[in-house]
Amino acid sequence: MTENVVNLLLKDGYLFIPASVYCDAMADLRAVAVLWRSASLHLIPLHPGSVGGFLLKRRNLAGDRVIDLRLFLREHELQESYEGVLSFLWIPEQGAWQTSQLCPELS
């Protein structure tokens, strides 16, 4: 991991990961567990071969990825229609990315 902060677009329930961010910060990651704790979204990398999680689906030939969070947002009564850039900070002690700002529109 070369980056401590990644900025990702959340739009219409999809979290978009540009190819450059994926290559720099998430090299070869295929799935993440997603948690909603303390009004923050957490992305926890899952090792290859793990069962479950949200897939980082390849979106285009450039290598951009997308995570479909629509069901997750509905289940946690969060706004599925929210659109904005979320900054995720890598927390080594947790082994996860966590939103570094609170998003009142989501809570």
Side-chain angles (χ1 to χ4, degrees):
M1 164 128 6
T2 59
E3 297 293 323
N4 290 332
V5 176
V6 293
N7 295 312
L8 305 177
L9 174 65
L10 180 62
K11 181 179 178 184
D12 297 328
Y14 292 92
L15 191 63
F16 294 90
I17 304 167
S20 60
V21 170
Y22 178 77
C23 290
D24 289 345
M26 302 178 177
D28 299 321
L29 186 62
R30 294 187 181 155
V32 293
V34 180
L35 299 173
W36 179 253
R37 290 189 288 191
S38 305
S40 292
L41 197 60
H42 299 255
L43 303 177
I44 303 167
L46 297 176
H47 297 289
S50 297
V51 177
F54 290 84
L55 295 176
L56 280 73
K57 296 179 182 176
R58 189 173 184 139
R59 188 167 175 256
N60 55 33
L61 291 176
D64 295 336
R65 303 295 200 271
V66 66
I67 302 172
D68 183 351
L69 295 178
R70 293 175 297 174
L71 183 58
F72 177 87
L73 296 172
R74 275 184 230 136
E75 288 176 352
H76 290 83
E77 298 178 356
L78 301 169
Q79 289 183 15
E80 185 179 335
S81 61
Y82 174 81
E83 181 175 341
V85 174
L86 301 177
S87 294
F88 286 86
L89 175 65
W90 176 251
I91 310 291
E93 300 80 25
Q94 295 181 8
W97 287 279
Q98 175 182 332
T99 52
S100 59
Q101 78 278 3
L102 296 178
C103 301
E105 297 89 347
L106 290 174
S107 54

